[in-house]
Amino acid sequence: MATITVRRPQFDFPSDLPAVPSPDDPQGSCETVGLSFTLPFRAFSGQEAQHCKNHALVNDIVRNQLSDPAAAEMRALEDGLEADYRRFTAEKSLAFNLAYAEGFEAMTFSLARTGMTARDTGVDRDAKWTEPMGWHLAEEIEHRTVTFDVQEHVHGKYPHRLAVGTWARLHYLGCLLSMATVVYRDQIDPDISSWRVKWQAIQRGWRNGSLQGTLAAMSPRCNPRKVTLSGHPTTYARHRLVRNRPRLTLQWE
């Protein structure tokens, strides 16, 4: 197994980090913030531990910008997700936890490829959000094979991987979009329904191809090692100005 480089970047997260990364894209902004709020509970490797540490810092800044009721609702969702993961660790089998992790990582690999594709599916964000998100997505691509390899070696039964992985994606996305809804209601539209946020996320995922990539990962022939990449992603996404905002652009070396 190849050694994974654990990078420890020192980001300067300002106290005025915007709670809405891109005002022109409220749905995408709230999904980005929701994603960040789900991530401090996934410390299963050195790289993920660094992701958790930095996202926790971001989340504290964003939570402080929410109204008191919204912040309390967000904290309750965070506590619920953490409790779920602690329960899975304590009560579920090793096979279940490996399949959950593999299903999650297959989905985030698809999201990372979409979120960092140059030209057509880059995501415009406030400059303060661009560098940490680019760093995180690049590392998702870098360690894309880890959970798949371990799950296949330890358990390796496709029906189980499919069933638990599908459940894992639905569980995680449900948490993410609930958190996105809290931000959306507090910062953009207090009357939007959670179902509307979820439907817009499905539409967005289909348009940018991340949904198709996630569905493809459910195939018995899927193996992240077989995904053709033209090189290796750099640690950080470079900045390319688009409509006066930096766009995440996947760089290869």
Side-chain angles (χ1 to χ4, degrees), residues 16-32:
D16 63 344
L17 182 77
V20 178
S22 176
D24 294 338
D25 182 9
Q27 177 72 24
S29 292
C30 293
E31 289 178 23
T32 296

Side-chain angles (χ1 to χ4, degrees), residues 7 40 46 52 55 66 71 75 90 107 121 132 147 151 153 169 179 188 195-196 239:
R7 302 172 184 85
C52 296
H55 282 286
L66 301 178
R75 180 63 78 184
M107 177 180 63
T121 56
T147 56
Q151 197 277 153
H153 178 74
R169 295 176 184 104
M179 292 173 172
I188 300 167
W195 287 108
R196 180 63 179 170
H239 291 183

Side-chain angles (χ1 to χ4, degrees), residues 136-150:
H136 185 148
L137 297 182
E139 291 199 331
E140 288 296 330
I141 293 175
E142 183 178 51
H143 69 227
R144 66 191 181 278
T145 65
V146 174
T147 56
F148 180 88
D149 288 349
V150 174

